[in-house]
Amino acid sequence: MRPSGISRFPLVRSALLVVVVWCAASFIYAPIFSVLRFAFAPGGDIGLGAIGELAGSRRVRTAIVNTFVVTGLSIITVNVIGIFQVAVLEYLKVGGRGFLRFAYSTPLIFVSVAAATGYGFVYGQNGTLTKLLQSVWPALPNDWFTGTLAVVFAHTFLLTSFHFLFLRAAIRRVDYSTVEAARGLGASSMEAFVRVVLPVLLPTIFATTLLVTYKSLGSFAIPSVLGGRRFDMVTELILTLNSLRRPDMAAMLSIGLGLAVILCIAAMQYVERRGSYVGGSKTPVPIERIRIASPVVNLAVHAAAYAIAVIQLVPIALVVLFSFAPARSIATEVLPSSFTLQNYVTVFSQSTAFVPLKNSLLMGASATMAGLMISLFVVNLAHRHTNVGTTSLDLSFMAPWILPVPFIAIGLILTYDEPNLLVANRVLLGGFWILPIGYAVVSIPIMMRFLRAAFFSLDPALNEAAQSLGAPAFYRFLRVTVPLVLPVMILITGMTLNVILSEYSMSAFLFNVNNKPLSIALFEGARSANPEQAAINLVYISLIMAFSLGIITLADRYGLGGGK
Amino acid sequence: MTRNHLLAGAMTLLSLLGTSAATAEPLVIYSPQGDERAVWIAERADAAGHDVTILTSGGGELFDRILAERANPQADVVLGLIDAAMATLKAEGLFQPYVPNWAEGLPEVYRDDTDRMVYKFWQTPVVIAYNSDMLAEEDAPTSWLELVEDRYAGKYVIGPTIWQTTKTYLIGMLLRFADESGEISDEGWDFMQSLYDNAIVVDSADAKTAAFVNKEAVIDLNWFGGVGRLADDVGYRAVMVDTEGGTPFIAEGIAIMEGTDQLDDAKAFVDWFGSAEFMSAYAARFGQVPVHPDAIAAAPDTVKRNATLLRPQPIDWDVVAPRVDGWIQRIELDIK
C-alpha cells in the first residue's frame, strides 16, 4: 500500500514524529526511570533501604494487609452479586426485568469519587440511610459506615459493572440446548446453572474477577472518602509517603503495587488466550429464561433481586433528590420537603463553586485532544508501516496501561519537581499543565485500543477506489479515512472526558492551587460539615452522572459500550 | 463551549509564557494570612507606597510550594510561616541575609544573629484549653504529659500533622524526651504512642469540630486564637491552662528570597512590615501579639495582657528544624 494522508507531507510528518517521540520520552520513559532511580538508588548509591523502612512501618504493613483483605472480600462479594445479577437478567424469569437492568447498570455512571461521596452522603454521620437504619436499630452508632465494612460494601455494589458488561454478553453465547438436555436428565434449574452454564462462563468470570482485583488493589477514592479514621489502603499510603517527603519509599511502594497489578494482568491475558478454546456448538440455540418452579425459591430470588436494585438505586436517587433541595434540608431532613434550583444556580454562577468544574473541563478537553492526536498519529503509523520503530512507539504509549496510576503520578512528580531539560528547563510541578499531562498519559492506551480496532475494520478498497478516481492523498485522508473513523473518535473523546471528570487518583497526586479539579473539590466537600458545600457536591455528582449517562447512551447506540 | 475552552487554553499558555518577560511587577509576597488579613495588609502596604501582590494559601501548602519552586522562585518575600518552616527554608538556601531596621531591641529568640535572614514579628502560644462547662478546673490537665493518663482517654483531639499547630505541640512534647544532641529517647516514643492511642485522631477541621459538638472531646489542643474560635463555634466556655514545663510558642517570621529581582523594594517592605507602627496597628485590628517591645507598648491593653499570660517552653528551632521531617515521618508511619 502506498503511503497516504499526512505521510505525503514528509516535513509535517517528521515534525509530528519528533513531537510524539518527545512526548513518549518525557512523559512515559522519564517518569518510569525516575521511579526506579528513587526506589533503588535514592542518594546515588544502589540499595534496598526503602524496602526495609517500608517493612518497618506499622502503618504501611497495616495498609498492605487492608488492601489484601479488602481485595479478597471484594472478589467474593462482587462475584456473588454480579453473577446473581446476570442470572436474574438473562437466565431466570424475574418480573420487572427492564427496571432491574436499569438498576444494575448504574455502576456504569456512578463511579470513582462521585460514587464514594454519594455513599458517604447517604450512609455517613447524618445520612438519610443512617437515620433510617437507626430508626429500626437505635444502637447503631453515627459513624457505623467506616473501615473495611464500608469499603467492601461500596466495592460490592460499585464494581459489578464488569459483570454487567462482559458476563451478560457471555451468557448469551451459552447453547440453550445443553441446558435443556441437563433439565431433561432431571436437573433442577439451579443444578443446570451450576453444572452447565457456569462452566461455560468460567473464563469470563475469571477475567472479570481479575478486573475486580485490579480495581480493588488500586482503589483510592473509595477508601479515602469512606475508610474513616486509621484506615488506609496502599494507594493512600503512597500519597502520604510523598507528602512526608519520602519519595524513595513512595516510589518503592508504587513499584510493589505495580508488580501486583502486572501479575494480575498477566494472569488475565493468560486466561483470555485460553478462553478462546472454550467454544459452544456451531449453531447454538439462544438461551431462554427459565421459570423457577419452587414458589419459595422464586420469592427469595425476587426479593434478593429487588433488594440489590434498591441498594444500588437509593443512593443515586437521594443524591439527585437532595441536589434539588435547599441546603438547610441536608443533614436535617430524611427526605427533602421543598425543592429549588438554587444549588445549580450557585454552581454555575459562584466562582468558587464553578472553578473546579471549569478546571476539570479545561484539563479534560486539553488532555483528550492531545491524547487523541497522539493516538491517531501512532495508530495510523503503526497501521501503515509495521516495523520495529512503529511497534516500539506503539508499545511505549501502551505501557501506562499496565502501570498503576500512583506509579505514573510519582514518576511525573519526581521528574518535574525541578527544572528538566526535556521541558525547556521548566518546573512542571505546581503548575497547571502537569495534571492534564498525567490525564493524557493514562487515557492514551484506551484511545489507542479503540482506534486500532477502527483502523483494522477499514476497507482498503475504499481508499484504492478514491485513488483510482484521482483523489490526492491528503484529500483521501480527509474525505475517506477520517469520516469512517470519526464516530469512534467522537465516542472515545466523550468517554475519556467522562473518565477524567471524576478521575481521582492522578488528581490527588498532581493537583495544586492553580488547577484544583472537580474530583478534589468533591473529596474536600465530602469532609466539610457545611451544608452549602454538601449541596454543591450533590450538584457536581448529578452533573457527572448526567454526562456519563449521555455518553454511555451514545456509545450503546453505536455499539461500542458492549452493554447490549 | 469547546472553542471557549481552546481559547482559554491558549490564553493560559500565553500567560504562562508571559511570566518570563521582565516588567515592572509588584513585589510578590507569599503569606499564609487568611483572606481578610491579607487584604488588610495589602491595603496598608499600598497606602504606605509599597506595590505588592500577596499570594495566600495554607501554611503547609505554601511551604511545599516554595520548596517546589526553588529552582524558579516566584516570591520576593515570605512572611508568616512559623519557626520550623522558616528554619527549613533557610537551611535549603532559599533566603538571603537582611537585617531589618527593627531588629534592634528585638529579644534574642526572635532574631537570627548567626545567619541574619529570618526575623520574627509576632508570636502565638499553642495551648491546652478545656471546656469549663464539662470539666472542672481541678480535673483539667496541668501539663502536656498528663494527657496520656486514662482519665483523659478519648477527651482530646489530635489533628493532621500537616497542621502547623499539631506539629508544634507534638514537637514540644517530644523535646521533653530529647538528649543534648536532639535525639528522642525510647521513652519519648512510647509516650507519643500512648498520646495517640489515648486521643481522638482526626484528619480534618470539621471532624475535630464534630468531636467537640458531640461532647466527646472536652480538651482542646490549639493555637491561642483558635481556642476562642472553636469555643464560639461549638458554644462553650474555654479556659486555657498555664502548663508545667511551659507552653510551646510559635513565632512567625519574615525573610527575603534569595532569587528576588527587586531587592530594594523587598527591603523597604520588610522594614515597613515589622515596624512598631504597623505591628501595633495590626495588633489593634486582629488581636495578634507582636514580639517587638516597642510594638507591644503601642498595642491595646488586651494584647499586652495576652503577651504575658503563659510561660513559654524554650525551643531552639534551628536544632529542631532538620529533625522535624524524621519525627513526623515516624509518627505518621509507626504511631498513627
Side-chain angles (χ1 to χ4, degrees):
Chain A
M1 192 193 296
R2 269 186 49 195
S4 66
I6 45 170
S7 40
R8 264 280 292 272
F9 298 83
L11 200 67
V12 176
R13 195 180 60 163
S14 312
L16 279 174
L17 188 63
V18 168
V19 170
V20 167
V21 169
W22 167 77
C23 282
S26 306
F27 305 126
I28 295 171
Y29 286 111
I32 293 175
F33 176 72
S34 294
V35 170
L36 296 176
R37 180 167 62 94
F38 270 86
F40 295 108
D45 305 317
I46 293 184
L48 295 172
I51 293 182
E53 279 193 88
L54 284 174
S57 159
R58 197 185 68 175
R59 196 160 159 217
V60 171
R61 289 196 307 266
T62 318
I64 293 173
V65 171
N66 284 341
T67 305
F68 281 124
V69 168
V70 163
T71 303
L73 290 173
S74 300
I75 289 171
I76 298 168
T77 57
V78 174
N79 266 320
V80 167
I81 300 291
I83 293 173
F84 179 74
Q85 287 180 340
V86 170
V88 164
L89 291 181
E90 307 294 337
Y91 181 73
L92 301 168
K93 272 213 167 80
V94 176
R97 181 160 171 255
F99 167 76
L100 292 176
R101 189 173 56 208
F102 171 71
Y104 297 167
S105 71
T106 53
L108 293 174
I109 60 163
F110 197 47
V111 293
S112 180
V113 70
T117 36
Y119 270 57
F121 173 68
V122 295
Y123 292 110
Q125 298 260 351
N126 294 308
T128 297
L129 291 179
T130 298
K131 281 182 187 153
L132 276 180
L133 288 170
Q134 281 173 332
S135 65
V136 190
W137 183 24
L140 191 74
N142 279 332
D143 58 351
W144 69 282
F145 198 70
T146 177
T148 310
L149 165 82
V151 175
V152 172
F153 184 89
H155 279 181
T156 304
F157 294 100
L158 294 172
L159 293 184
T160 50
S161 46
F162 303 118
H163 290 78
F164 184 82
L165 289 177
F166 305 125
L167 202 57
R168 274 175 68 224
I171 199 171
R172 293 215 187 98
R173 292 197 296 269
V174 170
D175 186 352
Y176 187 60
S177 56
T178 57
V179 179
E180 276 187 320
R183 300 212 328 152
L185 290 171
S188 70
S189 49
M190 180 70 180
E191 275 172 335
F193 186 73
V194 174
R195 288 269 179 88
V196 178
V197 180
L198 270 188
V200 181
L201 297 183
L202 217 51
T204 313
I205 291 177
F206 205 74
T208 47
T209 301
L210 285 164
L211 278 170
V212 170
T213 314
Y214 170 74
K215 278 277 177 190
S216 176
L217 284 176
S219 189
F220 199 165
I222 289 172
S224 300
V225 176
L226 303 174
R229 291 174 193 169
R230 292 191 172 196
F231 181 90
D232 301 298
M233 283 176 68
V234 164
T235 42
E236 298 175 272
L237 244 283
I238 296 174
L239 184 63
T240 303
L241 288 167
N242 181 54
S243 62
L244 289 172
R245 280 184 272 289
R246 285 308 300 264
D248 54 330
M249 290 167 80
M252 187 58 91
L253 195 56
S254 72
I255 289 175
L257 182 63
L259 285 179
V261 166
I262 287 173
L263 219 67
C264 212
I265 288 172
M268 192 152 57
Q269 299 225 309
Y270 175 73
V271 170
E272 248 177 26
R273 214 166 298 141
R274 269 187 32 163
S276 61
Y277 292 103
V278 181
S281 66
K282 287 275 188 311
T283 50
V285 180
I287 192 149
E288 278 174 40
R289 291 181 298 131
I290 294 169
R291 188 177 304 281
I292 303 168
S294 152
V296 178
V297 175
N298 193 20
L299 192 69
V301 166
H302 273 78
Y306 279 90
I308 292 170
V310 165
I311 290 175
Q312 290 192 312
L313 277 181
V314 163
I316 297 175
L318 285 172
V319 164
V320 175
L321 206 59
F322 271 99
S323 77
F324 291 104
R328 67 186 144 70
S329 73
I330 292 169
T332 55
E333 292 183 326
V334 174
L335 283 176
S337 53
S338 60
F339 293 95
T340 166
L341 281 174
Q342 186 52 45
N343 303 328
Y344 286 82
V345 174
T346 308
V347 165
F348 285 103
S349 62
Q350 204 183 73
S351 64
T352 47
F354 183 63
V355 162
L357 188 61
K358 191 193 78 183
N359 282 344
S360 275
L361 285 172
L362 182 58
M363 287 191 288
S366 32
T368 310
M369 293 285 185
L372 195 63
M373 281 193 272
I374 291 173
S375 312
L376 202 56
F377 180 82
V378 173
V379 169
N380 192 24
L381 201 67
H383 184 61
R384 293 182 189 288
H385 316 274
T386 309
N387 58 41
V388 181
T390 58
T391 308
S392 50
L393 198 60
D394 190 90
L395 285 178
S396 304
F397 282 101
M398 287 304 285
W401 186 62
I402 57 163
L403 297 172
V405 170
F407 185 103
I408 298 166
I410 289 287
L412 284 169
I413 291 172
L414 296 178
T415 313
Y416 297 111
D417 65 345
E418 52 191 18
N420 193 311
L421 282 175
L422 285 169
V423 290
N425 240 16
R426 283 178 175 275
V427 180
L428 296 186
L429 189 67
F432 182 86
W433 292 105
I434 190 163
L435 184 49
I437 288 171
Y439 287 156
V441 168
V442 292
S443 307
I444 288 175
I446 303 156
M447 293 181 154
M448 282 176 50
R449 290 196 106 186
F450 278 110
L451 275 180
R452 202 182 296 151
F455 267 86
F456 274 110
S457 65
L458 283 182
D459 187 349
L462 288 172
N463 206 18
E464 281 160 22
Q467 197 176 359
S468 67
L469 288 172
F474 191 58
Y475 186 80
R476 288 202 308 275
F477 180 72
L478 283 183
R479 297 301 298 267
V480 179
T481 310
V482 167
L484 287 171
V485 189
L486 198 61
V488 178
M489 282 168 57
I490 293 172
L491 274 175
I492 52 178
T493 304
M495 286 163 81
T496 310
L497 204 55
N498 178 29
V499 170
I500 291 175
L501 274 187
S502 51
E503 204 285 341
Y504 180 73
S505 305
M506 190 64 84
S507 312
F509 279 92
L510 299 180
F511 89 97
N512 54 59
V513 287
N514 301 309
N515 63 4
K516 195 205 272 178
L518 199 53
S519 50
I520 300 300
L522 269 173
F523 176 71
E524 288 176 354
R527 290 179 164 203
S528 166
N530 179 358
E532 305 278 344
Q533 195 57 52
I536 289 171
N537 256 14
L538 300 178
V539 174
Y540 286 156
I541 301 174
S542 303
L543 290 176
I544 290 174
M545 285 195 296
F547 189 85
S548 306
L549 192 63
I551 295 292
I552 283 167
T553 314
L554 204 68
D556 211 34
R557 183 161 300 167
Y558 281 96
L560 255 188
K564 285 233 171 110
Chain B
M1 198 76 174
T2 322
R3 186 188 291 169
N4 278 342
H5 284 130
L6 274 176
L7 204 64
M11 288 183 49
T12 318
L13 203 68
L14 280 179
S15 64
L16 268 175
L17 295 173
T19 50
S20 49
T23 46
E25 305 154 337
L27 203 61
V28 177
I29 293 159
Y30 278 13
S31 165
Q33 306 303 320
D35 296 332
E36 186 198 357
R37 294 170 180 227
V39 169
W40 195 79
I41 294 173
E43 281 170 6
R44 283 306 184 102
D46 195 43
H50 302 278
D51 184 15
V52 299
T53 300
I54 302 184
L55 186 129
T56 67
S57 174
E61 251 174 60
L62 211 56
F63 174 75
D64 287 345
R65 190 181 167 114
I66 295 168
L67 276 181
E69 289 174 350
R70 75 170 86 190
N72 180 21
Q74 300 296 310
D76 297 301
V77 173
V78 175
L79 79 81
L81 290 181
I82 63 166
D83 314 78
M86 291 302 264
T88 305
L89 293 177
K90 181 173 80 173
E92 293 283 339
L94 293 173
F95 295 150
Q96 59 175 297
Y98 177 63
V99 183
N101 60 9
W102 41 270
E104 207 184 315
L106 204 61
E108 196 192 334
V109 286
Y110 302 123
R111 294 197 311 259
D112 186 11
D113 290 345
T114 30
D115 301 305
R116 301 181 302 124
M117 291 183 186
V118 179
Y119 289 81
K120 312 287 167 62
F121 46 86
W122 60 52
Q123 47 93 333
T124 307
V126 172
V127 302
I128 298 181
Y130 60 91
N131 177 345
S132 62
D133 305 336
M134 299 275 295
L135 198 65
E137 191 187 342
E138 61 270 21
D139 295 330
T142 58
S143 143
W144 290 88
L145 300 184
E146 282 177 17
L147 288 172
V148 297
E149 291 172 10
D150 284 343
R151 60 194 170 125
Y152 300 124
K155 296 218 179 298
Y156 61 96
V157 176
I158 299 183
T161 55
I162 183 104
W163 292 356
Q164 309 262 28
T165 303
T166 309
K167 217 176 258 184
T168 304
Y169 61 68
L170 293 177
I171 291 167
M173 285 183 257
L174 275 179
L175 278 176
R176 292 161 200 249
F177 301 93
D179 62 17
E180 282 126 33
S181 66
E183 289 300 313
I184 307 300
S185 65
D186 287 347
E187 195 196 348
W189 291 114
D190 290 343
F191 169 83
M192 196 46 65
Q193 185 69 61
S194 321
L195 185 78
Y196 265 88
D197 290 345
N198 219 27
I200 300 171
V201 181
V202 301
D203 52 13
S204 71
D206 284 308
K208 178 176 174 178
T209 309
F212 282 86
V213 171
N214 298 340
K215 304 220 186 309
E216 288 175 83
V218 293
I219 297 167
D220 185 18
L221 315 180
N222 212 337
W223 65 284
F224 190 85
V227 168
R229 203 177 291 169
L230 181 70
D232 286 346
D233 283 353
V234 178
Y236 63 84
R237 217 172 60 81
V239 176
M240 288 186 219
V241 184
D242 184 19
T243 51
E244 290 160 26
T247 292
F249 274 65
I250 42 182
E252 299 180 11
I254 189 165
I256 299 175
M257 293 291 290
E258 170 65 32
T260 180
D261 51 1
Q262 300 174 74
L263 188 55
D264 292 336
D265 292 347
K267 286 178 176 174
F269 176 79
V270 171
D271 284 344
W272 167 79
F273 184 82
S275 65
E277 189 195 348
F278 178 69
M279 277 294 123
S280 55
Y282 191 94
R285 178 82 171 75
F286 295 107
Q288 186 83 44
V289 178
V291 296
H292 201 287
D294 298 348
I296 298 176
D301 286 346
T302 48
V303 172
K304 279 184 199 152
R305 220 175 308 121
N306 288 341
T308 53
L309 197 64
L310 304 160
R311 286 167 291 169
Q313 174 187 8
I315 296 175
D316 183 347
W317 290 101
D318 282 330
V319 173
V320 169
R323 299 172 196 277
V324 170
D325 271 0
W327 292 346
I328 297 298
Q329 278 165 28
R330 180 151 180 186
I331 290 171
E332 281 286 339
L333 296 178
D334 289 335
I335 289 175
K336 194 174 167 182

